[in-house]
Amino acid sequence: MPNTSFFCTLEQDFKLLESSPTQGHAQTINYADPAPIAAQPPPAAAANPSKAAESHNALKFNLLTHDQFGGYMISINPNQVQLLHRIVTQTGLYQYDGPTVSRLVLYDSKSRRHPTMTKKAFQAAMKRVFDHTTSNLAVPLSSSIQQELTAFTDKLFTMFANPKTNKVNGVALACGFTVLCNGRKSDKLEHIFELLDEDKDTWVSQDEIAKFIQSFLIMLMSVSSSFTHLYGGACSNDSAAITQTIDAGSDWATSQVFDALKPKNGSICFDDFADWYTKGGYQSMPWLELLDLRKWVISA
């Protein structure tokens, strides 16, 4: 069973440090080993941290874009990281890998090529996932965790739902949900490519890669506490602005992959992506490291 030490304690700063390539610098991420939190009580000062303290301690990353703003600074405060920690550990979700959870998410729609979910179907999928992950827990979920889980999944539906149809793309949801599962980044990426490769020919199109990146950014934005324009301007926090930010970031990141690889057939395989990422692509989207929950760690 994996341990629960992939998150850090609140008394230490969360930082994802990067400098924008638009300023002529490579993006870098500073990591440190996370301290186990299961046996450590949260610091007393964390109960009602000031907004200034939360801002200082927030995990932050740049999301670059082609739009007039050049990108956005995304912040995830310690309270939100701790919320995510409680959800994945106290429901037992962290013990299950992406393929297992994806099968549960897509169970009712696995026979459809382009599965979509109504809110009722989405809620049934979430119940199926968490009934499975909590089945072997020593104690039942507390009422407070149940309430947090309901609020969290309700927000996920809102974030993933197409505003025109009020339905969720099941494959996109399964891709995004891998963020919450056990496993290394490379294993999760390989699984995501298998999910996207619906005709099972090992090739994935630019639109399908964009779908994955969108789903990952949706998960990150669902726990974000704020975002601003890269060069300091305030952003609206309404759903339209969030969607625009996700789409713009996804378009930029996807273009980096395909502009570099220039695939003749317009599609790439997992090995192509892995090779591009390892040889420098990580500088374009260092936030992809957050696919591995153990990377949500601290920098002094």
Side-chain angles (χ1 to χ4, degrees), residues 91-266:
T91 65
L93 182 59
Y94 77 100
Q95 300 180 53
Y96 295 87
D97 62 15
T100 299
V101 174
S102 292
R103 284 193 293 271
L104 294 167
V105 170
L106 296 170
Y107 182 82
D108 285 339
S109 54
K110 58 187 177 183
S111 62
R112 285 178 278 157
R113 183 173 174 79
H114 301 290
T116 57
M117 297 179 178
T118 62
K119 187 166 188 178
K120 183 177 180 180
F122 170 87
Q123 290 171 333
M126 293 297 96
K127 183 177 186 303
R128 189 162 51 246
V129 168
F130 290 107
D131 280 353
H132 183 82
T133 63
T134 59
S135 60
N136 293 322
L137 295 181
V139 294
L141 295 183
S142 67
S143 59
S144 62
I145 289 297
Q146 290 177 351
Q147 291 171 1
E148 288 184 329
L149 182 59
T150 297
F152 179 73
T153 55
D154 284 349
K155 185 171 184 179
L156 283 188
F157 179 83
T158 300
M159 295 284 288
F160 273 96
N162 183 317
K164 295 181 179 179
T165 64
N166 203 36
K167 292 182 180 179
V168 166
N169 181 297
V171 172
L173 176 64
C175 287
F177 227 77
T178 60
V179 177
L180 308 178
C181 300
N182 180 42
R184 300 177 303 169
K185 176 186 85 272
S186 57
D187 293 335
K188 290 184 178 184
L189 282 171
E190 186 169 12
H191 166 62
I192 286 166
F193 267 74
E194 292 172 355
L195 280 174
L196 296 172
D197 180 21
E198 295 182 14
D199 55 10
K200 306 306 177 187
D201 65 353
T202 74
W203 297 101
V204 175
S205 71
Q206 187 163 344
D207 286 346
E208 288 168 328
I209 292 295
K211 180 193 293 184
F212 149 59
I213 295 175
Q214 284 175 328
S215 70
F216 179 56
L217 291 175
I218 286 172
M219 293 299 296
L220 293 183
M221 293 296 283
S222 72
V223 295
S224 68
S225 48
S226 67
F227 65 107
T228 60
H229 296 143
L230 190 58
Y231 301 110
C235 296
S236 169
N237 273 327
D238 61 29
S239 59
I242 293 172
T243 298
Q244 178 182 336
T245 300
I246 291 169
D247 290 346
S250 173
D251 287 345
W252 188 91
T254 305
S255 72
Q256 301 309 296
V257 180
F258 282 81
D259 288 351
L261 293 175
K262 297 180 172 60
K264 293 182 179 179
N265 63 356

